[in-house]
Amino acid sequence: MDRFLDISQLSVAFPRAPVPVLREIDLTIRRGEYVAVIGHSGCGKSTLLNVIAGLLPATAGGVVLEGREVEGPGPDRAVVFQNHSLLPWLTCYQNVKLAVDQTLSRTMSRAARHDWVLENLALVRMTHAKDKRPNEISGGMKQRIGIARALAMRPKVLLLDEPFGALDALTRAHLQDQVMEIHAQRGTTVVMITHDVDEAVLLADRIVMLTNGPNARIGEVLEVELPRPRDRLALAADPRFVAARSAVLEFLHARHANPALAAA
Amino acid sequence: MSATTLGAGLLAPARPAAFWPSGWVAGLAWIGAAAAISLLPDADDLGRTQELATLAAGFGGLVLLAALGSTLSGLAPRLARLREAGPWLIVLAAALLAWELATAKYELLPRPFFAAPQSLLEVFTDDYARLGESVWRSLLLVVPGYALGAVIGFLFGVAMGWSRIVGYWAHPVVRLIGPLPATAWLPIAFFAFASSRGASTFLIALASFFPVTVLTWSGVSAVSKAYYDVARTMGASPWFLVRKVAVPAAMPSVFVGLFMGLGASFSVLVVAEMMGVKAGLGWYMQWAQGWAAYANMYAALLVMAGMCSGAVTLLFRLRDRLLSWQKGLVRW
């Protein structure tokens, strides 16, 4: 089997916490695969993503990308953050350019980098706003710039941390379609954290379901065998889509109901 | 008030009306003041009365010209900002007239503590060389001192905010020494430095150093971790994080420090010039007071106000240019 991104026996504990957040996570991801990680809030989804990104150290076990262990953050694993995290003093173009200059200046000429920035802005259809500052554009647009910035670094893995969580339903659907398109076009491996069941089923090849934290483990992994390209309208009534959706819902709400919500 | 008239009232400033009533009133008020200055006899032997009247009349004429110009559609947009100053121009004419009457014409206020407007004008026409040189000497003292303090304070603040070790050692020192007014060092500085110029530069630098350090430090410490995370996923080096993330993110705070430091350095400048330095506007004021030349003192005060206000305006212009991304800035 293709062991492109290999997470093995990964446990993460925060200092002074008696129970680890994540325990003995084992997950192997193929090249070009789209994996969604789903679970209730507080289960450690984002922690898992931060460890893959190298922003948090693993307590035990580890992450191996293409045969090399992850020891810190690096441009081969680009992150799209939930709160977009664009630098407010730079324009959209400059935000993407900063990432490109930082990661590709050794391999690309200045002119080629400029073109590459514009190409990535065009990919997320944000060329029109390239000279605007983040506070002049909408939340959905900011997130698209965040995606363009991540993709422009030519990462081996694209890590999406609830990228559409803060957006309204229509914008979210639009961006999901764009991400599917980009995934088809660039073939980038994607790990996406989400709490939206429909989003996971629609976008992912595999859905990894985490049990409730702390001490969260992988409860179940579901293969989504829907042909690509996927169309949200046609799939809504597709029995395979409906089956996958109810399997995830079953896991989240029947077998691993959120203890915090139950208490409330 | 009905909704329509309210709406009309809100829309009015966008389309400047052709007629500028306060402009006409202001122009006539200035000419009226000029007539009073020129025609009423001075109570004492004062110079430059007719020159003052000419200036006031000339200014009134210019305002009337502007009022006439704003009826022409081509000039109206350019005069839009001047139109806002209309009420101020009227009040200033009235104030000048009141000042003239109370001092030069009827001597209602005790002389020589209250100088007549033409006496101030006389200072500018007769003593402009010495005033100009004083401004130049003050600038020569305050600009290098302020720049030195600001640069060192900025670097020190970044280092304190960025490095835990620097912060650990520097923080208590800054906390203890910083709030001490720079003027408290005056006796030590004049004793420790060979020249009064060196001592004053040091004191001015010290005065601007403290606010710039503290606000740069707090700005750098307050930078959102999310920005660092973004840069770190790009594989950024610590130097890159400082240069491209910490410093730009801290700039709004740095400018508050620069503003406060500027005020502090002017304050030290004046004290230093009054205490030891034998040049500059502070010295000029001290010297004028020694000769009971109160008109000269007021003139110097006016020049100093212009200088300080100009410097702050310059700083705010620079900030607005650099920090156009930031919303809700303090207005100047």
Side-chain angles (χ1 to χ4, degrees), chain A:
Chain A
M1 188 183 166
D2 173 20
R3 302 177 81 85
F4 181 66
L5 178 65
D6 207 353
I7 302 165
S8 52
Q9 288 295 300
L10 176 75
S11 296
V12 182
F14 288 120
R16 286 192 294 277
V19 190
V21 183
L22 294 169
R23 203 188 68 195
E24 292 162 11
I25 303 285
D26 274 303
L27 181 65
T28 302
I29 295 168
R30 297 184 296 271
R31 188 188 297 271
E33 195 178 14
Y34 198 124
V35 172
V37 178
I38 198 165
H40 289 291
S41 13
C43 76
K45 306 183 292 278
S46 291
T47 307
L48 177 62
L49 188 107
N50 282 334
V51 173
I52 302 176
L55 293 170
L56 268 182
T59 311
V63 179
V64 174
L65 175 62
E66 272 199 319
R68 290 185 59 174
E69 181 160 12
V70 166
E71 279 167 346
D76 52 348
R77 287 151 288 128
V79 186
V80 177
F81 295 88
Q82 181 176 15
N83 58 358
H84 68 78
S85 296
L86 298 178
L87 304 181
W89 54 89
L90 300 178
T91 62
C92 294
Y93 171 87
Q94 289 167 333
N95 263 290
V96 180
K97 185 80 176 350
L98 185 76
V100 170
D101 284 347
Q102 175 64 18
T103 55
L104 301 173
S105 59
R106 279 186 214 92
T107 51
M108 272 178 145
S109 71
R110 178 180 288 271
R113 291 202 302 271
H114 170 76
D115 293 343
W116 177 240
V117 172
L118 293 182
E119 191 183 324
N120 280 281
L121 286 170
L123 188 72
V124 295
R125 301 193 192 122
M126 283 300 292
T127 312
H128 63 283
K130 69 183 177 67
D131 295 320
K132 292 210 165 129
R133 293 239 159 75
N135 62 20
E136 297 168 323
I137 59 178
S138 71
M141 290 179 171
K142 284 179 207 166
Q143 208 48 280
R144 274 145 76 184
I145 299 294
I147 293 170
R149 175 174 65 183
L151 287 170
M153 287 153 64
R154 288 203 170 135
K156 290 174 183 162
V157 185
L158 183 62
L159 303 171
L160 308 177
D161 188 2
E162 297 192 28
F164 318 123
L167 306 176
D168 65 274
L170 290 175
T171 312
R172 189 186 313 163
H174 180 69
L175 276 192
Q176 287 165 349
D177 291 343
Q178 273 192 6
V179 166
M180 273 198 284
E181 233 172 82
I182 290 165
H183 178 237
Q185 211 176 321
R186 293 256 169 105
T188 315
T189 310
V190 182
V191 178
M192 175 178 75
I193 305 297
T194 183
H195 54 236
D196 180 334
V197 178
D198 286 351
E199 178 173 282
V201 178
L202 182 67
L203 296 179
D205 297 315
R206 251 190 318 159
I207 302 174
V208 174
M209 292 169 250
L210 293 184
T211 64
N212 285 317
N215 232 345
R217 287 171 300 118
I218 294 181
E220 212 171 292
V221 179
L222 178 75
E223 293 273 349
V224 184
E225 281 156 357
L226 292 167
R228 290 181 189 273
R230 296 175 183 172
D231 173 51
R232 69 174 64 244
L233 290 178
L235 282 178
D238 190 306
R240 290 168 297 181
F241 181 87
V242 176
R245 190 170 178 274
S246 36
V248 179
L249 284 172
E250 225 266 320
F251 176 89
L252 289 176
H253 298 295
R255 276 182 286 148
H256 296 276
N258 189 337
L261 290 176

